[in-house]
Amino acid sequence: MHSNLNTATPMDEAENLPACPSDILGEVDVSRQMATRPGFPADYEAESVAMARLVEVLATRPRDMAQALADVAMELTGAASAGVSLEQGEPEPVFRWIATAGEYSRYVNGTMPRNFSPCGAVVARGEAILMREPIKAFPYIKEMHAPAREVLLVPFFKGSVAVGTVWVVHHDHQQFDREDLRVLRVITNFASAAMQATGLLGT
């Protein structure tokens, strides 16, 4: 990951790697396991409180929406890290971590390669992906201070086009389930619509 905290892996290492990340995930992609994992019951009260927080942020300080989304995503899924990544094209195509929370909070404003990263795989497919031991497909993330054991990423949309991801991370033995995916989609859909409506994603 590229970062302003000197934790970057040189971008040229990634530029020579395959440009179709969704095709090289292999055993890292464990999305199908989501259907057979036992799931926790929905906590609609917690979800309602979280949505109220997002609405308040939208009304009072809309520019903080991405950070509020990362915070809420981490809380509702029980993850140890969370963040929001958006695609940027200048001066080179990357995903910028515009908001981060938890163990990875130090990497805010860091970047990952557009064409060879977990976010790139999700945007290429336009759908959520659950990854186990993502370092096996993306070796350069070993530079991060805490290993990502399991990562759940959902697309962040501008209109009907995927332009980034919201992601949550477990650094230990814990696993995400269907309820985590459902609630992550709910809050991401709200936040992406809100950020577009307020002009934070352009028109």
Side-chain angles (χ1 to χ4, degrees):
M1 178 183 175
H2 277 41
S3 169
N4 56 0
L5 298 178
N6 298 319
T7 56
T9 297
M11 183 70 80
D12 57 7
E13 290 184 20
E15 287 176 344
N16 297 322
L17 294 171
C20 300
S22 64
D23 295 335
I24 56 86
L25 294 181
E27 65 180 9
V28 166
D29 183 359
V30 294
S31 303
R32 292 184 178 180
Q33 293 183 14
M34 192 72 78
T36 58
R37 287 183 179 180
F40 287 96
D43 187 343
Y44 292 113
E45 181 177 358
E47 184 177 338
S48 178
V49 170
M51 290 298 297
R53 285 173 54 191
L54 292 179
V55 170
E56 179 183 8
V57 170
L58 175 61
T60 60
R61 51 186 200 285
R63 291 192 175 277
D64 293 339
M65 178 58 71
Q67 186 59 53
L69 174 58
D71 293 338
V72 165
M74 188 174 71
E75 292 170 13
L76 290 181
T77 63
S81 296
V84 180
S85 301
L86 289 185
E87 185 175 2
Q88 295 184 348
E90 299 295 340
E92 54 192 358
V94 296
F95 286 102
R96 184 169 299 280
W97 289 17
I98 64 169
T100 54
E103 285 290 328
Y104 284 173
S105 60
R106 69 179 66 183
Y107 298 116
V108 67
N109 288 322
T111 62
M112 278 192 168
R114 168 62 181 84
N115 292 326
F116 191 72
S117 65
C119 295
V122 173
V123 169
R125 289 191 190 180
E127 62 184 34
I129 299 179
L130 178 66
M131 299 185 190
R132 186 73 180 174
E133 303 290 350
I135 192 174
K136 295 178 180 178
F138 307 101
Y140 62 88
I141 65 176
K142 68 180 182 294
E143 300 296 329
M144 304 184 74
H145 80 283
R149 302 299 185 191
E150 186 157 291
V151 185
L152 176 60
L153 309 95
V154 302
F156 192 96
F157 288 96
K158 177 181 177 182
S160 60
V161 179
V163 296
T165 67
V166 177
W167 45 266
V168 288
V169 179
H170 282 315
H171 301 290
D172 55 19
H173 65 280
Q174 297 184 72
Q175 296 182 330
F176 295 108
D177 61 21
R178 296 185 302 276
E179 177 58 16
D180 295 321
L181 177 58
R182 184 195 68 80
V183 74
L184 201 57
R185 281 173 168 160
V186 168
I187 60 175
T188 297
N189 288 341
F190 172 81
S192 61
M195 290 175 67
Q196 187 168 344
T198 55
L200 296 177
L201 290 180
T203 55

